[in-house]
Amino acid sequence: MASSKLESRVAILEAELTRLKNKIETIERPAQPWWEKIAGTFADDPIYDEAMKMGRQYRKSQKPKSTKLRKD
């Protein structure tokens, strides 16, 4: 294969690689994290507050009861 043809093919591959790397960086790093997009959505919502309260109560009910050892 001629040297100039090989250099041309390598240049095309390098350009394609650069394009793909840029595309991946754009996909991996969104402009704004998902949690920032929804932050404050449920502010002052009594139903949301009630759901959080119920979740806390449920998690608390799942914890094992502590048993204290008594010293005689």
Side-chain angles (χ1 to χ4, degrees):
M1 185 176 297
S3 178
S4 62
K5 188 172 182 180
L6 183 58
E7 288 176 10
S8 173
R9 290 180 67 187
V10 169
I12 291 169
L13 287 172
E14 287 175 342
E16 181 66 12
L17 180 61
T18 300
R19 186 186 69 79
L20 290 173
K21 282 183 175 181
N22 289 337
K23 187 174 185 179
I24 288 171
E25 288 176 2
T26 303
I27 292 170
E28 290 180 353
R29 296 184 191 133
Q32 184 179 27
W34 67 268
W35 53 269
E36 284 184 0
K37 291 179 183 178
I38 66 166
T41 303
F42 300 107
D44 302 321
D45 185 341
I47 295 172
Y48 177 80
D49 294 337
E50 182 66 20
M52 294 300 101
K53 178 182 171 186
M54 292 172 74
R56 281 190 300 275
Q57 290 172 343
Y58 175 77
R59 288 188 300 278
K60 185 176 179 182
S61 74
Q62 298 302 302
K63 289 184 180 179
K65 304 289 183 203
S66 64
T67 57
K68 295 183 179 180
L69 297 175
R70 292 175 31 174
K71 291 186 178 182
D72 292 326

